[in-house]
Amino acid sequence: MRQFNHHVVIDRFAVPRLARRDVGTSGIECYLKRLSTGDGGAKYVEIISTIEPGQTEALVEQRLSDFMNTLPAGRFKAVDLLCVNERDFQPLVHYRLVRFNNVHCLRLDKGIEILEGLRLSTTHSYGLENYEGVTTRNETTLRTKGRRITIFNQTVAPARTAAADR
């Protein structure tokens, strides 16, 4: 998973679980933490999820932004959240998915919360799939219905001028 530089998490419950977990323990935070360790280049991560009643985009943005600031520097190019209404999400995507680059897709029945380390009482359906056909169309449709929020964007160091080098 770390060798891929573009990750898309499609899980309608990933963001709502933030409200029920301590900072750093939700599934999406555990996923980001795992991506920030080990080898591989800087990652671009998109999270396509819903927001639960009582959550606001501003609170979610602040929590994830604060969490990103606790991770090692230089591990991410950017992290974006695409907020989709539940009514738009549900008819399209039942399983939760993690797409790596353009072809590989991990289908998770229980979603990203499997990384929370909790004991889950049911078996989990999962598998790698080729990212083509229905999965591609569903993600494309969700993108047209969502609102993009930038959680993290790697800052670029200012270019040095010739005068500064003297």
Side-chain angles (χ1 to χ4, degrees):
M1 126 174 134
R2 289 184 195 119
Q3 71 268 26
F4 299 107
N5 60 8
H6 188 178
H7 296 243
V8 179
V9 176
I10 306 170
D11 185 340
R12 70 177 176 257
F13 301 112
V15 170
R17 290 184 70 82
L18 288 171
R20 298 187 289 272
R21 298 286 179 257
D22 292 334
V23 173
T25 64
S26 74
I28 195 63
E29 290 167 325
C30 291
Y31 187 77
L32 293 168
K33 190 182 315 178
R34 286 176 188 230
L35 285 181
S36 74
T37 62
D39 295 333
K43 312 290 186 242
Y44 173 59
V45 179
E46 291 178 284
I47 304 160
I48 302 175
S49 189
T50 60
I51 290 184
E52 166 174 279
Q55 282 182 314
T56 66
E57 291 178 4
L59 287 173
V60 169
E61 179 183 4
Q62 188 64 54
R63 165 135 177 202
L64 287 174
S65 178
D66 289 348
F67 178 74
M68 289 300 299
N69 288 329
T70 69
L71 299 177
R75 299 314 237 159
F76 295 92
K77 293 176 189 171
V79 176
D80 288 329
L81 171 62
L82 197 68
C83 293
V84 179
N85 291 323
E86 175 69 24
R87 69 181 176 275
D88 294 326
F89 206 111
Q90 191 165 0
L92 291 174
V93 181
H94 172 70
Y95 288 107
R96 277 67 72 75
L97 308 166
V98 179
R99 178 171 54 83
F100 311 106
N101 290 357
N102 291 324
V103 178
H104 307 287
C105 191
L106 176 62
R107 178 186 40 82
L108 301 165
D109 183 19
K110 284 295 184 179
I112 204 75
E113 68 255 29
I114 64 170
L115 297 176
E116 292 177 6
L118 301 174
R119 186 175 206 122
L120 300 174
S121 60
T122 61
T123 59
H124 308 289
S125 171
Y126 67 93
L128 283 174
E129 297 178 355
N130 188 317
Y131 178 75
E132 293 178 336
V134 172
T135 305
T136 305
R137 285 191 307 273
N138 288 346
E139 181 181 333
T140 301
T141 301
L142 287 174
R143 286 179 182 287
T144 65
K145 297 175 180 282
R147 295 170 309 285
R148 183 169 302 277
I149 300 168
T150 298
I151 301 298
F152 173 83
N153 196 350
Q154 179 177 317
T155 56
V156 178
R160 294 176 59 167
T161 64
D165 289 335
R166 291 186 203 146

